[in-house]
Amino acid sequence: MKKRFTAVLLSLMLMSGLMPATAFAADPEGVWTDYAAEVFAGGTGTQDDPYLVETAEQLAKVAKDVNDGTTEYDGVSFRLEDDIDLSAHYWRPIGCFLTSSDNRTFRGNIDGNDKTITGLTVDESERELQAGFFGKIGNSTTGVTAGAKNLTISGASIYTREKNLYPSAGILAGYAQANEGHQIVFENIRVSGSVEIAMTDGAISAGGMFGYADRIQAVNCKAENIFVSGSSNSGGFVGSTGDSVYQNCSALGTVHGA
């Protein structure tokens, strides 16, 4: 009877899409930054002539360059030209918060151009860093608005461990923070999937869209069919937030936390 009940419960959870994707998806091999392209498909990076991203390898170039410490993407614009499947390798988040004095922050903007990213799998448990499509995103210092728009991320699996200085995880961004007097803007974003942080005792932030968000504006952003498992700061849309504006945003799914 117990086995039968377990099987039925598992089937119901699978059908409802509430089981963590990491429990069932085949593990990717390697990380995308090892397969990054050398150049983009075109463009010069300005708002009127953004860098064109047609492949997963070109998108991985953004993550590789930022994580390698480049500051050349401050105020730079990117635009997706096609749907992108990231299932072959683990995704290394764009930007990271290594220490309080070492921030490798993305300060540009990405126009999803109504395209969809699938197969996004992030596992930062060994590095114990921020986890999401963006790891760490901040405001531009050039006057250009940083952020993302017109993008769908479908069926993501986001995972990290709660041990580093600022542990946080979200499908779109683990850690989004603008300096005082500035704002990061996200518009027309859709995400779905699972977000998990292995828990100990510290203050963590886990959310369907954002883990930690400070001084952002989110407009028409939806976290749909999400599963969030965190600890102290856990939410369907955002785990922890301050000085931010949310307009026509929503979340639907399951949240576990303390």
Side-chain angles (χ1 to χ4, degrees), residues 106-121:
F106 178 73
R107 301 184 184 278
N109 61 80
I110 294 180
D111 180 359
N113 196 24
D114 296 322
K115 306 304 182 186
T116 298
I117 293 174
T118 56
L120 175 68
T121 303

Side-chain angles (χ1 to χ4, degrees), residues 110-180:
I110 294 180
D111 180 359
N113 196 24
D114 296 322
K115 306 304 182 186
T116 298
I117 293 174
T118 56
L120 175 68
T121 303
V122 176
D123 186 349
E124 289 294 286
S125 58
E126 288 189 10
R127 302 202 310 166
E128 297 169 346
L129 295 175
Q130 306 76 34
F133 176 69
F134 295 106
K136 174 72 164 62
I137 180 171
N139 61 279
S140 171
T141 64
T142 66
V144 174
T145 301
K149 63 181 181 180
N150 306 327
L151 177 65
T152 297
I153 301 176
S154 179
S157 298
I158 312 296
Y159 182 77
T160 190
R161 288 178 55 83
E162 182 222 346
K163 193 175 180 180
N164 66 86
L165 182 63
Y166 294 105
S168 53
I171 294 173
L172 181 61
Y175 199 98
Q177 182 181 45
N179 295 329
E180 188 171 357

